């Protein structure tokens, strides 16, 4: 069985992986200025392998950082405002923000006020996080978060604990932030550390957090391509090289970057001169395939994943997940086809997750492709 570490890497707490340290950057409000985006590319090349990953928590990861260069990278990130100078504050800033927020709107005010109160939060399990989703309707409902502020069906705001269909109506931004802080303390005080995540926590919600307000119907996720505020580009398999990202940012009229939890980046301003080979069309077949880094980059993986993911991108109809092990880091939801690495070979799972029951086991990469050619013909 793979080792479940129960925490996510950060800038101050990197995680050892097969290619060196994995250093995670949490962009403030989910946004990088043009200068910060270029500094991130420089840091990835100077101190790592030049690979940047976009996570499903709207974070960015630099891969392959040698331990002896980590402190230099940390100083570089701090110099450009990409990491908080206080390790405890940085660790608490586990927050998802609706990527289309605008200055002064409810999402922006909520996120700013919550960041100002990070010191009031209790010590929380490493994966517990907050979603600030106060646009015209929820956009982050399918994204992992434990405590949420959303737009309610009647147009107001609500605070909702993950796993509950309804939340508590609030009348102001201040009340919403206070509700998040109180729920975090209740979670810890009621034994939440044992559950690890709010969705798994069985304790009854406190009486001061009634489940009365229904969230508004979810908005559709924005599609790739040009939008009034910029270009939304896809990051196939959640990985981009520093030169490719630099090319996009430098070619854009503004170049500020917003990070989404769907492995897409929003490049503010006009259309870049070059997209660095990154997709701008939702029909790009690479976008229906999720794949973790795999071997040799991850110590938990027993198989290489990206080569097979590339091969499957245009061959299999529907969603595809290629996972180096049963943890399934790249995708939590079931996929039409899932391939899970085990002892150097692949198990094939239909309509399931990486930890599901396989239909076929012990396939080599060539055997996977041959099996799918006969059982999952493209276009079927």
């Amino acid at each position: 069985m793979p080792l479940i570490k129960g925490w996510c890497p950060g800038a101050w707490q990197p995680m050892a992986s097969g290619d060196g340290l994995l250093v995670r950057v949490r962009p403030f409000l989910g946004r990088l200025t043009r200068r910060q985006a270029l500094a991130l590319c420089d840091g990835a090349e100077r101190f790592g392998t030049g690979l940047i990953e976009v996570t499903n928590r709207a974070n960015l990861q630099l891969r392959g950082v040698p331990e002896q260069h980590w402190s230099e990278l940390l100083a570089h990130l701090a110099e450009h405002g990409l990491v908080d100078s206080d390790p405890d504050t940085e660790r608490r800033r586990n927050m998802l923000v609706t990527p289309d927020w605008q200055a002064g709107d409810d999402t922006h005010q909520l996120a700013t006020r919550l960041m100002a109160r990070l010191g009031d939060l209790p010590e929380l399990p490493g994966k517990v996080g907050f979603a600030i989703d106060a646009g015209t309707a929820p956009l982050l409902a399918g994204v992992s978060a434990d405590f949420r502020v959303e737009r309610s069906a009647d147009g107001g705001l609500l605070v909702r604990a993950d796993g509950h269909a309804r939340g508590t109506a609030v009348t102001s931004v201040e009340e919403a932030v206070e509700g998040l802080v109180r729920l975090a303390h209740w979670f810890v005080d009621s034994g939440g550390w044992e559950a690890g995540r709010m969705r798994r926590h069985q304790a009854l919600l406190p009486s001061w957090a009634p489940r009365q307000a229904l969230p508004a119907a979810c908005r559709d996720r924005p599609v790739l391509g040009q939008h009034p505020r910029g270009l939304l580009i896809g990051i196939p398999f959640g990985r981009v090289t520093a030169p490719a990202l630099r090319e996009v940012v430098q070619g854009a009229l503004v170049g500020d970057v917003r990070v989404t939890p769907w492995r897409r980046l929003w490049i503010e301003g006009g259309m870049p001169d070059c997209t660095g080979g990154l997709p701008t069309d939702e029909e790009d077949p690479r976008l229906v395939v999720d794949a973790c880094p795999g071997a040799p980059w991850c110590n938990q993986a027993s198989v290489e994943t990206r080569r097979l993911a590339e091969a499957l991108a245009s061959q299999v109809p529907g969603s595809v997940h290629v996972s180096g092990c049963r943890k399934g880091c790249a995708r939590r939801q079931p996929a039409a086809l899932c391939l899970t690495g085990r002892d150097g070979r692949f198990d094939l799972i239909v309509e399931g997750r990486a930890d599901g029951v396989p239909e076929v086991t012990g396939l080599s990469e060539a055997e996977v492709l041959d099996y799918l050619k006969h059982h999952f013909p493209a276009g079927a």
Side-chain angles (χ1 to χ4, degrees):
M1 292 293 292
L3 175 64
I4 307 298
K5 297 186 177 181
W7 57 280
C8 295
W12 284 97
Q13 188 181 25
M15 182 180 287
S17 193
D19 57 344
L21 295 179
L22 186 65
V23 179
R24 179 172 292 190
V25 174
R26 299 184 175 106
F28 290 84
L29 300 177
R31 183 173 184 258
L32 302 174
T33 66
R34 178 191 184 94
R35 176 174 172 270
Q36 288 176 322
L38 294 176
L40 188 80
C41 294
D42 292 343
E45 289 183 312
R46 287 174 57 192
F47 305 109
T49 60
L51 291 174
I52 301 170
E53 293 178 336
V54 183
T55 79
N56 55 18
R57 292 193 174 211
N59 296 153
L60 298 161
Q61 295 182 159
L62 307 188
R63 294 206 66 96
V65 178
E67 189 170 349
Q68 65 268 27
H69 294 319
W70 168 63
S71 60
E72 296 175 79
L73 172 60
L74 190 61
H76 175 82
L77 296 174
E79 177 188 351
H80 293 89
L82 289 166
V83 62
D84 199 285
S85 59
D86 176 57
D88 188 56
T89 302
E90 173 72 19
R91 179 177 48 76
R92 291 169 183 258
R93 196 168 49 80
N94 197 4
M95 183 192 316
L96 272 168
V97 181
T98 304
D100 59 353
W101 62 267
Q102 298 185 52
D105 69 7
D106 282 345
T107 296
H108 182 222
Q109 292 187 57
L110 283 159
T112 301
R113 289 174 185 268
L114 182 57
M115 283 199 297
R117 295 199 59 186
L118 292 178
D120 295 335
L121 293 173
E123 189 76 18
L124 292 165
K127 290 183 177 290
V128 169
F130 302 85
I132 309 301
D133 194 10
T136 56
L139 188 59
L140 303 177
V143 179
S144 177
D146 297 87
F147 305 104
R148 305 171 183 270
V149 180
E150 298 168 316
R151 190 63 58 183
S152 64
D154 64 5
L157 292 174
L158 62 83
V159 176
R160 183 167 67 89
D162 199 41
H164 296 271
R166 295 172 180 264
T168 303
V170 294
T171 59
S172 67
V173 166
E174 293 81 1
E175 188 180 352
V177 173
E178 179 63 26
L180 290 175
V181 173
R182 289 187 72 187
L183 275 175
H185 279 277
W186 162 82
F187 176 78
V188 171
D189 294 342
S190 59
W193 267 91
E194 294 180 11
R197 300 300 302 271
M198 180 61 226
R199 181 173 287 273
R200 298 196 295 263
H201 193 34
Q202 298 300 310
L204 294 177
L205 287 171
S207 59
W208 49 260
R211 291 170 291 167
Q212 64 199 158
L214 192 67
C218 294
R219 289 186 284 159
D220 291 332
R221 191 175 73 186
V223 299
L224 296 186
Q226 189 68 33
H227 293 261
R229 298 180 60 204
L231 179 71
L232 190 63
I233 61 174
I235 308 297
F237 319 124
R239 178 180 287 188
V240 61
T241 66
L245 181 57
R246 182 185 294 110
E247 196 170 27
V248 174
V249 174
Q250 288 179 330
L253 187 62
V254 176
D256 290 354
V257 178
R258 298 196 184 207
V259 188
T260 81
W262 312 295
R263 297 189 173 92
R264 286 152 164 75
L265 297 177
W266 213 320
I267 312 298
E268 296 184 26
M271 176 76 81
D273 295 331
C274 179
T275 61
L278 300 172
T280 59
D281 185 346
E282 287 288 342
E283 298 304 314
D284 191 299
R286 293 172 292 175
L287 298 175
V288 300
V289 182
D290 292 300
C292 69
W297 293 281
C298 177
N299 292 329
Q300 303 290 313
S302 67
V303 293
E304 198 276 344
T305 57
R306 300 302 171 97
R307 184 174 59 244
L308 182 58
E310 289 273 7
L312 296 177
S314 58
Q315 292 191 25
V316 179
S319 56
V320 179
H321 181 194
V322 184
S323 182
C325 73
R326 286 172 56 85
K327 285 173 63 178
C329 294
R331 183 185 177 99
R332 299 300 185 189
Q333 299 81 20
L337 176 69
C338 182
L339 292 153
T340 301
R342 181 173 59 86
D343 299 330
R345 300 177 80 82
F346 290 94
D347 292 343
L348 186 148
I349 300 156
V350 178
E351 298 294 343
R353 307 190 330 164
D355 58 357
V357 178
E359 184 173 291
V360 186
T361 63
L363 299 175
S364 67
E365 187 174 308
E367 289 169 338
V368 167
L369 295 173
D370 184 66
Y371 182 90
L372 295 178
K373 182 168 62 177
H374 294 94
H375 294 82
F376 291 83

